Amino acid sequence: MELRHLRYAVTLAEYGTFTRAAAQLRISQPTLSVQIQALERAVGAQLFERLPNGVRVTVAGQAFLHHAQATLAAADDAVRAARAALPATAPIRVGCFRAPWNNWEITDALRLGDPEHPVEAITTGTPAGLALLLDGELDVLVGQDFTSVPLALPERVERRDVAAEPVWLALGRRHHLARRSRLAITDLADETWLVLNSQPDLHQLTVAVCANYGGFQPRQMPFRAGDELPPALVELRGITLCAPTIRRTGGLTTRDIGLPEQRRIFVAHLRAGSHQHAATRTAELVAGLHAQYIANNPACRNKLTDVASPRHR
């Protein structure tokens, strides 16, 4: 039995269904079901009664959850105590999605503001980065989410929105639709949408956008291509949703297809952590880097909205 099993059980009891609990935990529903069954075998008792519309905690489950919640709280306290005991020179660990700017610009600027304090940069997707933040393996997270698929954050995480931009379409110049002067989401129902296996949020966004604004189910092609989506678009002749600030490689083009959708860039940290100042500084830096990138890219100018003062949530 591991701490994650306790967290799975507590979350399932809180949300009442495997579907909602799995979404909160950022795992699949079948995975959660298998893990709960394994936990019940290890405990030797049924913790949840399966119902047609959810689950109900059994008497044994109530006794188990009382101690599970206490154990998780003690584990969180242990992590915080260990982090608080670190020397002042312990590195600040900043996680960031693959942004249009270079992530080392964030770390360099943080080092300039506090030369005595080392900074480590980690490139990570937002769901994975949130898990690292909650586990104490990141101090600050620069993440992204979308208006159609907002990221649910636990109460102990503080979020500051720093920039927002619309969602566009990316495709190769050899794609048959690239010759069209105008495109709308309804023109894309029969196309193949490329989605990196490493970007589950892009998969969710594609499904939501096509359903909400186009009324169709997208035909998606999941694939592994490292972190390089643009070359795959050119070679495979598929399409994908993107931000206007996507790096335009040879053979790639982007289109504004009039979606009322936004990508939101935010900075997050643990409310009870010791790195509020680093998070505030990071939010200011990211807002500045984003604004600078827009200013230097005419294709993006006048299309994007930056948040002048980072908002807390």
Side-chain angles (χ1 to χ4, degrees):
M1 187 187 309
E2 301 176 13
L3 281 178
R4 62 188 175 91
H5 293 115
L6 304 186
R7 201 176 302 279
Y8 292 164
V10 169
T11 304
L12 179 57
E14 179 182 355
Y15 284 87
T17 72
F18 280 96
T19 300
R20 291 202 296 264
Q24 176 68 14
L25 291 163
R26 298 283 170 179
I27 61 176
S28 69
Q29 182 178 338
T31 297
L32 178 59
S33 179
V34 168
Q35 294 297 323
I36 292 295
Q37 290 173 13
L39 174 61
E40 289 176 322
R41 286 195 299 270
V43 173
Q46 183 180 359
L47 305 179
F48 298 93
E49 180 184 354
R50 278 67 171 176
L51 304 173
N53 59 346
V55 297
R56 180 164 56 209
V57 181
T58 64
V59 174
Q62 291 173 356
F64 177 83
L65 289 168
H66 173 74
H67 292 282
Q69 290 166 336
T71 300
L72 290 171
D76 290 342
D77 289 342
V79 170
R80 285 194 290 270
R83 295 291 297 147
L86 290 173
T89 55
I92 298 172
R93 298 159 301 176
V94 179
C96 184
F97 67 97
R98 187 167 290 275
W101 59 83
N102 291 308
N103 291 347
W104 55 260
E105 295 180 76
I106 298 175
T107 57
D108 281 0
L110 288 174
R111 290 190 191 103
L112 285 175
D114 187 2
E116 301 300 320
H117 215 128
V119 182
E120 292 180 4
I122 301 170
T123 299
T124 177
T126 299
L130 177 59
L132 292 174
L133 184 70
L134 293 172
D135 289 342
E137 297 180 33
L138 277 183
D139 301 307
V140 180
L141 172 66
V142 182
Q144 62 175 350
D145 72 352
F146 304 89
T147 48
S148 285
V149 282
L151 183 66
L153 296 179
E155 275 297 315
R156 60 196 183 106
V157 175
E158 181 175 316
R159 164 178 171 155
R160 312 170 189 212
D161 288 350
V162 296
E165 56 194 13
V167 173
W168 285 9
L169 183 76
L171 65 166
R173 295 185 187 279
R174 293 180 292 174
H175 193 283
H176 72 97
L177 291 177
R179 297 187 297 271
R180 299 265 297 266
S181 58
R182 282 190 170 187
L183 285 174
I185 186 70
T186 50
D187 297 323
L188 310 174
D190 297 325
E191 300 305 316
T192 299
W193 299 77
L194 303 185
V195 181
L196 283 173
N197 286 337
S198 59
Q199 294 183 348
D201 50 349
L202 181 59
H203 161 74
Q204 296 168 357
L205 174 67
T206 302
V207 171
V209 163
C210 291
N212 293 344
Y213 308 123
F216 64 89
Q217 180 75 21
R219 183 175 67 238
Q220 297 191 78
M221 179 191 294
F223 69 101
R224 297 184 182 276
D227 293 311
E228 295 303 322
L229 181 59
L233 288 170
V234 175
E235 295 301 322
L236 299 178
R237 302 200 182 188
I239 61 176
T240 192
L241 297 173
C242 70
T245 49
I246 188 174
R247 288 195 177 96
R248 291 166 178 77
T249 58
L252 182 70
T253 185
T254 58
R255 299 289 184 83
D256 178 0
I257 56 174
L259 292 175
E261 184 73 30
Q262 282 195 326
R263 173 172 85 159
R264 301 172 297 197
I265 301 172
F266 64 87
V267 172
H269 67 95
L270 297 181
R271 294 181 188 276
S274 58
H275 294 287
Q276 287 91 339
H277 177 73
T280 299
R281 180 68 180 134
T282 301
E284 294 169 350
L285 291 170
V286 170
L289 288 171
H290 190 263
Q292 182 180 7
Y293 187 87
I294 294 169
N296 294 335
N297 288 270
C300 303
R301 206 174 300 145
N302 301 323
K303 289 286 185 179
L304 312 182
T305 303
D306 283 286
V307 181
S309 300
R311 295 195 303 269
H312 293 240
R313 283 173 33 188

